[in-house]
């Protein structure tokens, strides 16, 4: 068998049915095999989109996503997507073509040191120098990508290796003496944590992306009810706990909901699961959860104690540890430690600081209103992807996600251009779920060429462009922190997104008035075809923010929380305080 | 917690090309302050032993060992207890010998430090010395006045005393 055939066979053996890629010179042998292979190949229009699509595929399905790019520029175009997956622990296998082995090191045409470049942004990478290495590398690659703290793996594949003949019988057993992820939490530590939780008066759970990666949402729900703790999440943890639940506090952090930022400040025990305490989540570290003992459960030992000092560390898989905690706590629960007072306080506080702001009449449309209508138009198993910027944070803050793997967003790297291609991957992975990509006009333009892909393969997803004619998030920072000097964040002559879309053969419409969004989304989904909605929104709307270097309760752009009586909202006043456009 | 001291980290790594690059890259990327790294073969054919000398408080050291452990090709990592660890380095010093008197003086110094003269030329002597980095520093300081032409040091490698292995 040839190396190229071995790749396809190895991928198929791993259960891969579809790959996202873009060919090139050194990949000719591989693409020649793909020509009459059963493996489905989706030709994207930019390698970055192949990587994001593989990532979206992985996040939506929990399976390893696969992308392919040629040597040199193909490989470097994959980089942004690989780094995005790395920061969010998303399991993908990126196959990069390489010049023939005898040319490596000669600065050959389209040669780039892919192994060197991807070392810091992969969980691991391999270079196959002989065809016989391929089956073992792909098998190990899938194992590494998909277990422990999941993440991207790169396979560097020289041209001649794809053509080399060898005897392929069976992939060798995985032999990775240096890779043994810990699944089970240490029983003593788990017991310690259980005691701490039972003896606390005001516990809060902080759920991160690790809950979703470990498929531990059911356990999280059970555990939170058992210990009577409200749940806040990181951006990556959004969807791990239904945000429609009475005890959900929504997202925490720089753009977190007021209630979660305050309740975490107040709590006496923070149970953090599968999160890494990024600066966007914690705000000023010295102020973070200052009244709380912190329990940190994570599968990656290096995350524990990295940013925040931890009282009870537990290294282990979220699902496994939660199950053990549930066992111990249910045996000990003695009833007299009811947390009614705490929970009542939380719920009351939540209701007071999340008043129903009225945006329903506003033209131009307020993003909050658009999001409300979007929510009404979709079902709870619709997969939402977002891009990066205000659109993302509005969605994170105002859109209630009810199920895991239904909110997909680039958290750690904050990659503009992620939302749309990730939606392509999500739709391919989960064809029975509706998929909606929410993008900023800036971010969407970075990847709009892939409208050709969704048309070509008839991938019915809905793109909502939150069109504010500016790089909203950066512009907001300029307004808030740089003296309103709006430096190069006005997009000026924006394209007509409806016409742009139609030129690719993708149906599109513009939404400008209240009520139109809900209808447009419903129709778009019903059409069963790819669809773009250009939503003209108020460019001056300010997203509440905790300024960098501040504690989580120092939110600006939000109604004052001291005014706990409903209705006494100083939103407008505060907004002036931080300045309009 | 905050006490910063020099640590000796011993790591067993797969004997493969690229592993050193992974480790070195990790250190730069994470801003770890590494004083020295040595790599050589170990008691097992497919494994190399890496000795890393790093300064930092417990928290930094914990991160270094944990991040090292995350590398797939790193098999084992230990922060060695300095009190029961032998730390040795090899150093080659080429010294200028202006005249016979200087030459015999240098040979005497070398003897005191249990060094050996491994090469002689009309106007240089080369000393080989093994020992703790401090001992090597002392010899270097002593012969400096004669004019040092070249120094080559391996950097320290280390192993724990007694029957225990890592
Ligand atoms: C690839 C990339 N380049 C630059 C940035 C910095 N950045 C973050 S948000 C943002 C503005 C995004 O504008 P837009 O896509 O229109 O979304 P909005 O914030 O207006 O919703 C920029 C430039 C980034 N995150 N990613």
């Amino acid at each position: 068998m040839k190396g190229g055939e071995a790749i396809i066979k190895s991928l198929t053996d791993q259960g891969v049915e579809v790959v996202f890629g873009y060919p090139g010179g050194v990949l000719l042998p591989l693409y020649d095999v793909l020509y009459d292979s059963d493996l489905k190949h989706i030709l994207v229009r930019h390698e970055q989109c192949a990587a994001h699509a593989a990532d979206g595929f992985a996040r939506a399905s929990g399976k390893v996503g696969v992308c392919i790019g040629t040597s040199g520029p193909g490989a470097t175009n994959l980089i942004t997507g690989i780094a995005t997956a790395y920061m969010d622990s998303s399991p993908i296998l990126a196959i990069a073509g390489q010049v023939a082995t005898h040319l490596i090191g000669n600065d050959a045409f389209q040669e780039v040191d892919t192994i060197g470049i991807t070392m810091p942004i992969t969980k691991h990478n391999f270079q196959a120098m002989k065809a016989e290495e391929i089956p073992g590398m792909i098998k190990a690659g899938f194992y590494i990508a998909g277990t422990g703290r999941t993440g991207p793996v790169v396979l560097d594949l020289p041209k001649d290796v794809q053509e080399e003949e060898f005897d392929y019988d069976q992939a060798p057993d995985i032999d990775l003496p240096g890779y043994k992820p810990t699944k089970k939490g240490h029983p003593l530590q788990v017991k310690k944590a259980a005691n701490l939780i039972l003896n606390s008066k005001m516990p809060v759970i902080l759920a991160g992306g690790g809950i979703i990666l470990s498929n531990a949402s059911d356990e999280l729900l059970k555990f939170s009810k058992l210990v009577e703790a409200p749940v806040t999440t990181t951006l990556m943890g959004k969807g791990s706990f239904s945000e429609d639940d009475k005890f959900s506090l929504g997202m925490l952090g720089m753009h977190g909901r007021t209630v979660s930022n305050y309740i975490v400040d107040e709590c006496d025990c923070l149970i953090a699961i599968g999160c890494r305490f990024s600066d966007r989540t914690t705000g000023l570290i010295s102020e973070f959860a200052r009244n709380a003992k912190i329990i940190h459960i994570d599968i990656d030992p290096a995350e524990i104690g990295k940013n925040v000092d931890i009282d009870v560390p537990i290294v282990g898989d979220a699902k496994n540890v939660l199950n053990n905690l549930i066992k111990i706590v249910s045996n000990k629960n003695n009833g007299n430690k009811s947390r009614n007072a705490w929970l009542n306080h939380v719920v009351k506080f939540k209701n007071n600081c999340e008043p129903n702001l009225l945006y329903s009449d506003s033209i131009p449309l307020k993003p909050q209103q658009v999001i409300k209508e979007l929510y009404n138009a979709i079902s709870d198993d619709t997969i939402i992807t977002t891009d990066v910027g205000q659109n993302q944070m509005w969605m994170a803050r105002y859109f209630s996600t009810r199920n895991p793997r239904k909110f997909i967003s680039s958290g750690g790297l904050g990659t503009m251009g992620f939302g749309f291609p990730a939606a392509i991957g999500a739709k391919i992975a989960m064809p029975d779920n509706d998929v909606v990509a929410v993008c900023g006009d800036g971010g969407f333009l970075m990847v709009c060429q892939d409208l050709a892909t969704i048309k070509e393969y008839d991938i019915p997803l809905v793109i909502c462009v939150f069109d504010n004619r500016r790089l909203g998030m950066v512009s907001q920072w300029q307004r808030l922190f740089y003296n309103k000097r709006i430096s190069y964040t006005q997009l000026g002559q924006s394209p007509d997104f409806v016409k742009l879309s139609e030129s690719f053969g993708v149906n599109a419409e513009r939404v400008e008035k209240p009520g139109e969004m809900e209808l447009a989304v419903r129709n778009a989904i019903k059409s069963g075809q790819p669809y773009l909605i250009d939503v003209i929104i108020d460019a001056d709307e300010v997203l509440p923010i905790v300024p960098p270097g501040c504690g989580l309760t120092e939110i600006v752009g939000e109604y004052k929380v001291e005014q706990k009586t409903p209705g006494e909202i100083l939103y407008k006043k505060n907004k002036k305080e931080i300045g309009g456009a | 917690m905050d006490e910063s001291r020099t640590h000796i980290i011993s790591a067993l790594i797969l004997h493969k090309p690229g592993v050193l690059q992974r480790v070195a890259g990790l250190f730069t990327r994470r801003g770890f302050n590494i004083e020295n790294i040595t790599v050589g073969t170990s008691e097992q054919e497919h494994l190399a032993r890496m000795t890393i000398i790093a300064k930092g408080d417990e928290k930094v050291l914990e991160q270094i060992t944990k991040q090292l452990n995350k590398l797939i090709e790193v098999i084992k990592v230990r922060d060695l207890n300095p009190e029961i660890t032998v730390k040795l380095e090899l150093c080659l010093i080429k010294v200028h010998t202006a005249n016979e008197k200087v030459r015999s003086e240098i040979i005497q110094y070398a003897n005191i430090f249990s060094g050996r003269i491994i090469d002689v030329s009309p106007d240089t002597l080369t000393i080989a010395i093994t020992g703790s980095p401090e001992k090597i520093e002392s010899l270097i300081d002593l012969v400096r006045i004669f004019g040092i032409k070249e120094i080559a040091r391996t950097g320290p490698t280390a192993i724990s005393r007694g029957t225990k292995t890592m």
Side-chain angles (χ1 to χ4, degrees):
Chain A
M1 180 181 286
K2 281 194 173 143
E5 293 167 295
I7 292 161
I8 307 298
K9 176 166 158 45
S10 303
L11 291 175
T12 319
D13 285 351
Q14 291 296 328
V16 178
E17 286 167 11
V18 57
V19 297
F20 304 89
Y22 207 96
V26 301
L27 287 179
L28 282 165
L30 177 64
Y31 273 76
D32 193 53
V33 184
L34 273 170
Y35 182 71
D36 41 21
S37 152
D38 288 336
L39 187 64
K40 187 170 176 191
H41 174 277
I42 300 222
L43 177 69
V44 291
R45 299 314 198 249
H46 190 300
E47 289 91 347
Q48 182 181 345
C49 290
H52 289 326
D55 188 348
F57 179 98
R59 296 189 203 212
S61 66
K63 294 188 231 160
V64 177
V66 181
C67 59
I68 303 174
T70 192
S71 68
T76 53
N77 274 349
L78 288 173
I79 297 296
T80 303
I82 297 169
T84 304
Y86 182 68
M87 288 295 272
D88 291 343
S89 309
S90 183
I92 64 168
L93 176 74
I95 299 176
Q98 184 55 279
V99 300
T101 48
H102 69 276
L103 291 173
I104 291 179
N106 289 3
D107 300 319
F109 177 64
Q110 293 191 328
E111 179 185 0
V112 76
D113 176 12
T114 303
I115 291 291
I117 293 175
T118 58
M119 247 177 217
I121 52 164
T122 50
K123 189 168 170 187
H124 196 56
N125 56 19
F126 296 96
Q127 185 174 47
M129 294 300 277
K130 289 192 214 105
E132 65 186 38
E133 295 174 339
I134 289 171
M137 283 180 175
I138 289 187
K139 195 167 165 188
F142 267 78
Y143 178 63
I144 292 170
T147 56
R149 178 175 181 177
T150 50
V153 169
V154 162
L155 175 63
D156 195 40
L157 196 63
K159 183 174 187 182
D160 52 335
V161 174
Q162 300 163 41
E163 284 164 332
E164 190 190 339
E165 284 277 356
F166 75 112
D167 285 333
Y168 181 7
D169 182 18
Q170 222 180 336
D173 288 340
I174 292 170
D175 176 28
L176 298 167
Y179 180 65
K180 296 202 178 65
T182 317
K183 249 193 120 132
K184 275 182 69 177
H186 195 288
L188 270 180
Q189 291 299 97
V190 177
K191 215 179 255 167
K192 249 198 224 167
N195 283 333
L196 185 61
I197 296 164
L198 287 170
N199 290 320
S200 69
K201 293 196 175 69
M202 305 183 287
V204 172
I205 296 168
L206 169 58
I211 296 276
I212 293 171
L213 289 166
S214 141
N215 297 316
S217 285
D218 290 346
E219 288 76 7
L220 174 64
L221 178 64
K222 202 164 155 196
F223 176 67
S224 71
K225 299 294 162 198
L226 189 64
V227 300
E228 300 178 287
V231 179
T232 179
T233 74
T234 65
L235 177 68
M236 300 317 296
K238 197 173 159 73
S240 62
F241 188 81
S242 170
E243 291 183 299
D244 280 352
D245 190 287
K246 193 168 153 194
F247 298 118
S248 161
L249 307 179
M251 188 177 76
L252 178 72
M254 177 178 269
H255 296 294
R257 287 192 196 166
T258 310
V259 57
S260 34
N261 286 11
Y262 272 77
I263 291 294
V264 165
D265 188 54
E266 208 178 341
C267 74
D268 68 350
C269 175
L270 184 69
I271 310 155
I273 314 168
C275 68
R276 59 187 177 88
F277 296 104
S278 99
D279 54 296
R280 288 298 196 259
T281 297
T282 61
L284 186 63
I285 288 272
S286 56
E287 294 283 303
F288 178 69
R290 55 199 156 150
N291 303 309
K293 292 256 188 263
I294 304 182
I295 298 164
H296 188 191
I297 302 163
D298 203 282
I299 197 155
D300 181 358
E303 284 308 336
I304 290 174
K306 188 179 84 179
N307 296 339
V308 169
D309 290 336
I310 301 301
D311 297 286
V312 183
I314 304 175
V315 178
D317 175 65
K319 195 183 189 98
N320 189 291
V321 175
L322 276 173
N323 272 327
N324 285 334
L325 273 173
I326 289 168
K327 241 182 255 159
I328 299 181
V329 176
S330 6
N331 287 339
K332 287 196 175 173
N333 231 358
N334 47 15
N336 65 0
K337 289 236 173 59
S338 164
R339 297 209 171 89
N340 277 343
W342 169 237
L343 291 179
N344 286 341
H345 164 72
V346 169
V347 171
K348 200 165 151 213
F349 190 67
K350 176 177 162 180
N351 292 338
N352 284 351
C353 64
E354 302 286 335
N356 234 340
L357 300 170
L358 297 175
Y359 296 107
S360 49
D361 297 336
S362 173
I363 298 176
L365 283 165
K366 294 286 186 189
Q368 295 88 334
Q369 172 68 18
V370 176
I371 288 169
K372 198 167 123 195
E373 292 187 27
L374 171 62
Y375 178 86
N376 290 340
I378 62 160
S379 69
D380 65 359
D381 59 8
T382 300
I383 299 168
I384 301 283
T385 70
T386 79
D387 215 70
V388 166
Q390 285 185 317
N391 62 87
Q392 174 188 37
M393 289 301 136
W394 275 316
M395 287 297 287
R397 202 186 153 91
Y398 297 113
F399 181 87
S400 276
T401 304
R402 291 160 281 182
N403 285 302
R405 301 190 184 279
K406 301 295 176 284
F407 184 89
I408 294 174
S409 192
S410 165
L413 201 67
T415 308
M416 280 172 74
F418 171 81
F420 170 37
I424 298 179
K427 184 68 194 178
I428 297 291
M430 311 296 283
D432 296 335
N433 294 61
D434 299 328
V435 176
V436 177
V438 171
C439 306
D441 44 342
F444 179 68
L445 262 191
M446 287 187 169
V447 288
C448 64
Q449 75 285 335
D450 268 78
L451 283 168
T453 308
I454 57 172
K455 177 64 188 174
E456 174 70 25
Y457 293 93
D458 196 15
I459 302 168
L461 54 90
V462 183
I463 304 161
C464 303
V465 179
F466 280 25
D467 189 350
N468 57 5
R469 283 88 47 214
R470 59 175 72 163
L471 302 174
M473 182 60 93
V474 183
S475 168
Q476 162 161 351
W477 281 57
Q478 290 170 341
R479 277 184 282 166
L480 291 178
F481 311 124
Y482 287 86
N483 241 339
K484 299 187 189 121
R485 289 156 58 86
I486 305 302
S487 179
Y488 301 103
T489 51
Q490 303 274 19
L491 288 172
Q493 187 56 54
S494 267
D496 178 330
F497 285 99
V498 173
K499 281 193 188 147
L500 174 79
S501 187
E502 284 168 352
S503 77
F504 282 93
V506 172
N507 292 333
E509 72 179 280
R510 184 163 295 119
V511 157
E512 288 175 283
K513 293 200 229 31
E516 290 179 358
M517 178 70 176
E518 187 172 335
L519 214 63
V521 175
R522 281 186 197 282
N523 286 339
I525 290 174
K526 214 186 292 156
S527 79
Q529 286 180 357
Y531 205 95
L532 182 143
I533 303 170
D534 181 29
V535 194
I536 307 297
I537 58 165
D538 185 352
D540 291 338
E541 188 57 26
V542 176
L543 187 73
I545 181 172
V546 175
C550 291
L552 286 183
T553 54
E554 295 171 62
I555 305 165
V556 294
E558 184 62 290
Y559 38 87
K560 283 258 195 298
V561 189
E562 288 84 53
Q563 315 282 315
K564 284 186 184 171
T565 336
E568 273 193 87
I569 303 153
L570 299 183
Y571 184 82
K572 287 232 158 67
K573 183 165 168 235
N574 257 331
K575 191 176 162 192
K576 206 170 267 155
E577 179 189 304
I578 60 174
Chain B
M1 258 319 240
D2 270 327
E3 205 193 331
S4 185
R5 65 171 175 89
T6 302
H7 293 251
I8 312 161
I9 301 163
S10 186
L12 279 173
I13 60 180
L14 287 188
H15 210 146
K16 273 191 183 174
V19 187
L20 184 59
Q21 189 188 351
R22 281 182 209 281
V23 173
L26 171 73
F27 290 156
T28 345
R29 189 163 83 247
R30 299 231 171 232
F32 297 144
N33 228 329
I34 302 303
E35 289 181 5
N36 204 84
I37 299 184
T38 61
V39 201
T41 50
S42 74
E43 69 284 358
Q44 296 171 70
E45 201 187 322
H46 65 295
L47 299 183
R49 185 176 301 276
M50 184 179 265
T51 308
I52 300 147
I53 311 291
K55 229 189 176 123
D57 59 21
E58 293 301 323
K59 205 172 159 160
V60 171
L61 259 291
E62 189 183 316
Q63 265 299 305
I64 294 181
T65 46
K66 283 174 166 179
Q67 293 293 349
L68 269 176
N69 255 321
K70 273 175 75 169
L71 296 178
I72 308 280
E73 287 154 341
V74 171
I75 309 295
K76 226 182 222 181
V77 184
R78 288 282 180 284
D79 186 1
L80 299 178
N81 178 350
E83 300 192 340
I84 50 161
T85 297
V86 191
K87 185 169 79 168
L88 283 181
E89 179 178 5
L90 168 68
C91 173
L92 307 178
I93 315 167
K94 190 180 284 183
V95 196
H96 179 61
T97 51
N99 50 50
E100 272 313 306
K101 192 169 156 277
V102 167
R103 188 178 291 269
S104 62
E105 226 174 300
I106 293 172
I107 294 173
Q108 274 181 28
Y109 284 142
N111 285 338
I112 296 170
F113 281 80
S114 320
R116 285 185 303 127
I117 305 300
I118 52 159
D119 188 53
V120 184
S121 80
D123 54 359
T124 61
L125 273 181
T126 303
I127 312 167
I129 169 180
T130 31
S132 68
E134 297 75 29
K135 175 176 158 187
I136 291 170
E137 292 296 338
S138 313
L139 178 62
I140 292 173
D141 282 346
L142 277 174
V143 298
R144 197 181 300 279
I145 46 162
F146 307 120
I148 293 174
K149 302 205 122 190
E150 253 178 350
I151 290 180
R153 296 176 71 158
T154 58
T157 186
I159 202 161
S160 60
R161 292 179 197 277
T163 44
K164 246 183 86 185
T165 57
M166 63 174 261

